[in-house]
Amino acid sequence: MKRFTVSLGILLCLLAATAQAAGQPPLRQMDQRRLEAFLSEPVPARMVFFMAAWCAPCRQELPALQGLWLKYKGRGLDLVGVSLDMDPSAMRELLKQVGGVGFPIYWAGEEPIQQYSLSGIPLLLIFQNGREVERIAGAKTEEELEALILKVLKQAGR
Protein backbone atom coordinates (compact mmCIF):
# COMPACT_ATOMS: atom_id res chain seq x y z
CA MET A 1 0.00 0.00 0.00
CA LYS A 2 2.84 2.38 0.86
CA ARG A 3 4.46 1.69 -2.52
CA PHE A 4 1.16 2.47 -4.29
CA THR A 5 0.76 5.76 -2.38
CA VAL A 6 4.32 6.84 -3.21
CA SER A 7 3.84 5.87 -6.88
CA LEU A 8 0.55 7.79 -7.05
CA GLY A 9 2.19 10.84 -5.48
CA ILE A 10 5.03 10.75 -8.01
CA LEU A 11 2.55 10.38 -10.88
CA LEU A 12 0.53 13.39 -9.70
CA CYS A 13 3.70 15.49 -9.39
CA LEU A 14 4.75 14.49 -12.90
CA LEU A 15 1.34 15.41 -14.31
CA ALA A 16 1.43 18.82 -12.63
CA ALA A 17 5.00 19.39 -13.85
CA THR A 18 3.98 18.43 -17.40
CA ALA A 19 1.14 20.96 -17.37
CA GLN A 20 3.45 23.69 -16.05
CA ALA A 21 6.19 22.79 -18.54
CA ALA A 22 3.65 23.18 -21.33
CA GLY A 23 3.05 26.75 -20.11
CA GLN A 24 -0.31 25.89 -18.65
CA PRO A 25 -0.86 26.50 -14.95
CA PRO A 26 -2.53 23.55 -13.28
CA LEU A 27 -6.27 23.75 -12.62
CA ARG A 28 -6.51 24.30 -8.88
CA GLN A 29 -9.53 23.90 -6.65
CA MET A 30 -10.75 26.99 -4.86
CA ASP A 31 -13.26 26.63 -2.07
CA GLN A 32 -15.75 29.34 -1.14
CA ARG A 33 -13.64 30.80 1.67
CA ARG A 34 -10.52 31.09 -0.51
CA LEU A 35 -12.55 32.53 -3.40
CA GLU A 36 -13.99 35.22 -1.14
CA ALA A 37 -10.54 36.13 0.20
CA PHE A 38 -9.10 36.14 -3.32
CA LEU A 39 -11.80 38.45 -4.69
CA SER A 40 -11.36 40.92 -1.84
CA GLU A 41 -7.59 41.33 -2.37
CA PRO A 42 -6.63 44.97 -3.03
CA VAL A 43 -5.58 44.48 -6.67
CA PRO A 44 -5.94 47.60 -8.89
CA ALA A 45 -7.39 45.82 -11.95
CA ARG A 46 -8.71 42.27 -11.60
CA MET A 47 -11.05 40.61 -14.09
CA VAL A 48 -12.63 37.31 -13.10
CA PHE A 49 -14.04 35.17 -15.92
CA PHE A 50 -16.74 32.78 -14.66
CA MET A 51 -17.24 29.98 -17.17
CA ALA A 52 -18.00 26.32 -17.78
CA ALA A 53 -16.66 23.86 -20.33
CA TRP A 54 -20.16 23.12 -21.69
CA CYS A 55 -20.82 26.83 -22.43
CA ALA A 56 -20.20 27.53 -26.14
CA PRO A 57 -19.63 31.32 -25.73
CA CYS A 58 -17.19 30.59 -22.86
CA ARG A 59 -15.27 28.21 -25.12
CA GLN A 60 -15.06 30.93 -27.78
CA GLU A 61 -13.97 33.68 -25.38
CA LEU A 62 -11.23 31.68 -23.66
CA PRO A 63 -8.67 31.87 -26.55
CA ALA A 64 -9.50 35.56 -27.09
CA LEU A 65 -8.93 36.27 -23.40
CA GLN A 66 -5.62 34.39 -23.54
CA GLY A 67 -4.41 36.60 -26.40
CA LEU A 68 -5.56 39.76 -24.66
CA TRP A 69 -3.99 38.69 -21.38
CA LEU A 70 -0.67 38.20 -23.18
CA LYS A 71 -1.03 41.65 -24.71
CA TYR A 72 -1.96 43.51 -21.51
CA LYS A 73 -0.47 41.57 -18.58
CA GLY A 74 2.56 43.88 -18.69
CA ARG A 75 0.26 46.82 -17.97
CA GLY A 76 -1.06 45.21 -14.80
CA LEU A 77 -4.05 43.21 -16.04
CA ASP A 78 -4.87 40.52 -13.51
CA LEU A 79 -7.10 38.01 -15.32
CA VAL A 80 -8.35 34.89 -13.58
CA GLY A 81 -10.75 32.19 -14.73
CA VAL A 82 -13.18 30.37 -12.44
CA SER A 83 -14.75 27.13 -13.65
CA LEU A 84 -18.29 26.44 -12.48
CA ASP A 85 -18.31 22.91 -13.92
CA MET A 86 -19.63 20.14 -11.70
CA ASP A 87 -16.51 18.10 -12.45
CA PRO A 88 -13.05 19.67 -12.88
CA SER A 89 -12.11 17.15 -15.58
CA ALA A 90 -14.42 18.96 -18.04
CA MET A 91 -12.40 22.17 -17.70
CA ARG A 92 -9.10 20.27 -17.87
CA GLU A 93 -10.25 18.80 -21.19
CA LEU A 94 -11.26 22.22 -22.54
CA LEU A 95 -7.90 23.71 -21.54
CA LYS A 96 -6.18 20.86 -23.35
CA GLN A 97 -8.31 21.49 -26.47
CA VAL A 98 -7.44 25.21 -26.58
CA GLY A 99 -3.76 24.57 -25.93
CA GLY A 100 -3.84 25.93 -22.40
CA VAL A 101 -3.83 29.46 -21.09
CA GLY A 102 -1.22 31.46 -19.21
CA PHE A 103 -3.52 33.04 -16.68
CA PRO A 104 -4.72 31.03 -13.65
CA ILE A 105 -7.92 29.02 -13.88
CA TYR A 106 -9.53 27.76 -10.68
CA TRP A 107 -12.24 25.16 -10.27
CA ALA A 108 -14.90 26.24 -7.80
CA GLY A 109 -17.79 24.01 -8.85
CA GLU A 110 -21.34 25.29 -8.65
CA GLU A 111 -21.14 26.85 -5.17
CA PRO A 112 -20.35 30.42 -6.36
CA ILE A 113 -23.52 30.51 -8.50
CA GLN A 114 -25.73 31.20 -5.48
CA GLN A 115 -23.09 32.93 -3.37
CA TYR A 116 -22.47 35.62 -6.02
CA SER A 117 -25.91 35.58 -7.67
CA LEU A 118 -24.48 34.48 -10.99
CA SER A 119 -27.35 34.50 -13.46
CA GLY A 120 -25.58 33.53 -16.66
CA ILE A 121 -22.22 32.72 -18.20
CA PRO A 122 -19.88 33.75 -19.58
CA LEU A 123 -19.65 36.38 -16.90
CA LEU A 124 -16.88 38.88 -16.24
CA LEU A 125 -16.67 40.44 -12.81
CA ILE A 126 -14.44 43.49 -12.57
CA PHE A 127 -12.77 44.20 -9.23
CA GLN A 128 -10.75 47.25 -8.27
CA ASN A 129 -8.98 47.21 -4.93
CA GLY A 130 -11.11 44.31 -3.67
CA ARG A 131 -14.47 45.82 -4.64
CA GLU A 132 -16.72 44.57 -7.43
CA VAL A 133 -17.27 47.54 -9.74
CA GLU A 134 -18.84 45.95 -12.77
CA ARG A 135 -20.53 42.74 -13.95
CA ILE A 136 -20.82 41.92 -17.65
CA ALA A 137 -22.80 38.82 -18.63
CA GLY A 138 -23.15 37.19 -22.01
CA ALA A 139 -21.03 36.54 -25.05
CA LYS A 140 -18.53 39.18 -26.09
CA THR A 141 -16.41 39.59 -29.21
CA GLU A 142 -12.65 39.96 -28.94
CA GLU A 143 -13.03 43.66 -29.77
CA GLU A 144 -15.57 44.12 -26.95
CA LEU A 145 -13.29 42.27 -24.54
CA GLU A 146 -10.32 44.44 -25.52
CA ALA A 147 -12.32 47.65 -25.10
CA LEU A 148 -13.40 46.45 -21.66
CA ILE A 149 -9.82 45.59 -20.66
CA LEU A 150 -8.59 49.02 -21.80
CA LYS A 151 -11.35 50.69 -19.79
CA VAL A 152 -10.47 48.69 -16.66
CA LEU A 153 -6.76 49.47 -17.03
CA LYS A 154 -7.48 53.16 -17.55
CA GLN A 155 -9.69 53.31 -14.46
CA ALA A 156 -6.86 51.67 -12.51
CA GLY A 157 -4.36 54.22 -13.83
CA ARG A 158 -2.44 51.64 -15.85
Side-chain angles (χ1 to χ4, degrees), residues 27 49-53 81-85 87-88 91 105-109:
L27 181 67
F49 181 56
F50 285 94
M51 63 183 153
V82 177
S83 167
L84 302 173
D85 290 292
D87 180 354
M91 184 52 62
I105 306 268
Y106 296 95
W107 175 74

Side-chain angles (χ1 to χ4, degrees), residues 41-55:
E41 289 176 355
V43 175
R46 175 170 282 163
M47 296 178 73
V48 182
F49 181 56
F50 285 94
M51 63 183 153
W54 52 261
C55 165

